[in-house]
C-alpha cells in the first residue's frame, strides 16, 4: 500500500507566517484601491500627466508612511503587552512555584490529558524551562518570537508601496486616451488576484472574495472619478 502524501505544515511559526502573509495581501490591496481612487479622481478633473504623477506619488508616500506608522504603533503595543505578561509570569514562578505547577497541570489536563499524565508533563516542562512552558500553554506566547514592530512597519510600507505602484504607473505611462481604461482594467485584475490570495490563505470560498474585492475597488474608482469630473466641470 502506498503512503498518502501529507503536506500539512507544522510548527509554532505557521500562524505567524500566515498572519504576515495576510497583512502583506491587505497592505497591497489598500495600496491598489486608495491610490487608484486618488489618481482616477484626479483624472476626472484634469488630463495633466504631471498632476496625475504628483497626486499619485504623494498619495503613495502618504499612504505607505501612514500604514507603516500605524503598524509600528499597533505591534509595539502588542509587544509591550507580551513582555509585561512574561514579566508577571516570571515573578509568579519565582514567588509561587507550587501554585504555578498546579496551574500548568490543570491547563494540560484541560487539553485532554489524564491528571497523572498532565502532572508528569507539567513537572518535566517546568524542570526544562518553566517560563517557556507557561508562556506557551497559559499565555499563548512564544518567548523566542515576540512581535517585532520594525518588521511589521517595514512589511506594511513595502506591501502598500508595491500595490500603489500599479495604478500610479497605469495612469501616467499610457497615452491620454487610453490611460483610464488601462488603469481600471489593471486595478480590477490586481484586486482579483489579491482577493483570490486572501481567500486561499483563509481557506474561504474564492469567488465571493474576488467579487467583493473587485466590487469595492470599482465602486471607489467610480465615486472618485465622478467627484473629480464634477469638480473639473465647475472649475474648482
Amino acid at each position: 500500500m502506498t503512503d498518502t502524501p501529507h503536506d500539512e505544515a507544522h510548527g509554532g511559526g505557521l500562524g505567524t507566517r500566515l498572519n504576515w502573509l495576510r497583512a502583506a495581501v491587505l497592505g497591497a490591496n489598500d495600496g491598489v484601491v486608495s491610490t487608484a481612487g486618488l489618481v482616477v479622481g484626479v483624472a476626472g478633473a484634469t488630463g495633466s500627466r504631471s498632476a496625475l504623477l504628483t497626486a499619485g506619488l504623494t498619495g503613495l508616500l502618504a499612504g505607505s508612511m501612514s500604514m507603516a506608522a500605524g503598524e509600528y504603533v499597533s505591534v509595539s503595543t502588542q509587544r509591550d503587552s507580551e513582555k509585561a505578561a512574561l514579566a508577571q509570569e516570571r515573578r509568579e514562578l519565582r514567588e509561587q512555584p507550587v501554585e504555578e505547577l498546579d496551574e500548568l497541570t490543570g491547563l494540560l489536563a484541560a487539553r485532554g490529558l489524564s491528571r497523572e499524565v498532565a502532572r508528569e508533563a507539567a513537572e518535566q516542562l517546568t524542570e526544562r524551562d518553566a517560563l517557556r512552558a507557561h508562556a506557551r500553554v497559559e499565555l499563548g506566547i512564544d518567548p523566542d518570537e515576540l512581535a517585532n514592530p520594525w518588521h511589521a512597519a517595514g512589511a506594511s510600507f513595502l506591501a502598500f508601496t508595491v500595490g500603489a505602484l500599479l495604478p500610479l504607473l497605469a495612469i501616467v505611462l499610457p497615452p491620454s486616451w487610453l490611460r483610464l481604461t488601462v488603469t481600471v482594467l489593471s486595478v480590477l485584475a490586481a484586486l482579483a488576484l489579491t482577493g483570490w490570495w486572501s481567500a486561499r490563505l483563509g481557506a474561504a470560498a474564492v469567488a465571493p472574495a474576488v467579487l467583493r474585492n473587485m466590487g469595492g475597488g470599482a465602486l471607489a474608482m467610480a465615486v472618485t472619478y465622478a467627484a473629480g469630473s464634477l469638480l473639473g466641470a465647475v472649475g474648482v
Side-chain angles (χ1 to χ4, degrees), residues 77-162:
T77 301
Q78 177 186 341
R79 184 181 179 89
D80 290 343
S81 298
E82 291 174 344
K83 291 172 71 174
L86 289 173
Q88 179 178 348
E89 198 63 39
R90 188 179 293 110
R91 183 171 59 254
E92 291 175 352
L93 285 167
R94 184 176 61 250
E95 297 175 354
Q96 304 171 359
V98 176
E99 290 82 352
E100 287 298 298
L101 180 60
D102 291 340
E103 181 182 34
L104 184 58
T105 300
L107 290 170
L108 292 172
R111 295 190 174 190
L113 299 178
S114 68
R115 190 72 185 181
E116 295 75 14
V117 173
R119 186 68 177 189
E120 181 180 354
E123 290 174 349
Q124 291 183 10
L125 289 171
T126 298
E127 183 178 347
R128 183 175 303 169
D129 192 327
L131 179 60
R132 180 170 280 100
H134 280 266
R136 289 178 172 173
V137 177
E138 180 182 349
L139 304 175
I141 297 173
D142 187 342
D144 298 326
E145 295 186 10
L146 296 183
N148 189 315
W150 289 108
H151 289 172
S156 294
F157 180 91
L158 181 61
F160 187 96
T161 299
V162 169

Side-chain angles (χ1 to χ4, degrees), residues 14-81:
L14 177 60
T16 300
R17 290 194 295 272
L18 287 177
N19 286 336
W20 280 108
L21 285 171
R22 289 190 183 96
V25 172
L26 291 174
N29 195 78
D30 286 346
V32 171
V33 174
S34 61
T35 307
L38 178 61
V39 296
V40 167
V42 174
T46 178
S48 169
R49 191 185 301 269
S50 62
L52 291 169
L53 179 60
T54 300
L57 188 57
T58 54
L60 182 155
L61 292 174
S64 59
M65 292 300 296
S66 175
M67 287 284 291
E71 196 70 14
Y72 178 83
V73 170
S74 174
V75 176
S76 293
T77 301
Q78 177 186 341
R79 184 181 179 89
D80 290 343
S81 298

Side-chain angles (χ1 to χ4, degrees), residues 168-196:
L168 174 58
L169 295 176
I171 202 74
V172 299
L173 292 182
S176 58
W177 61 273
L178 194 58
R179 61 174 54 135
L180 194 60
T181 300
V182 171
T183 301
V184 170
L185 293 179
S186 300
V187 167
L188 292 179
L191 293 177
L193 178 61
T194 56
W196 172 84

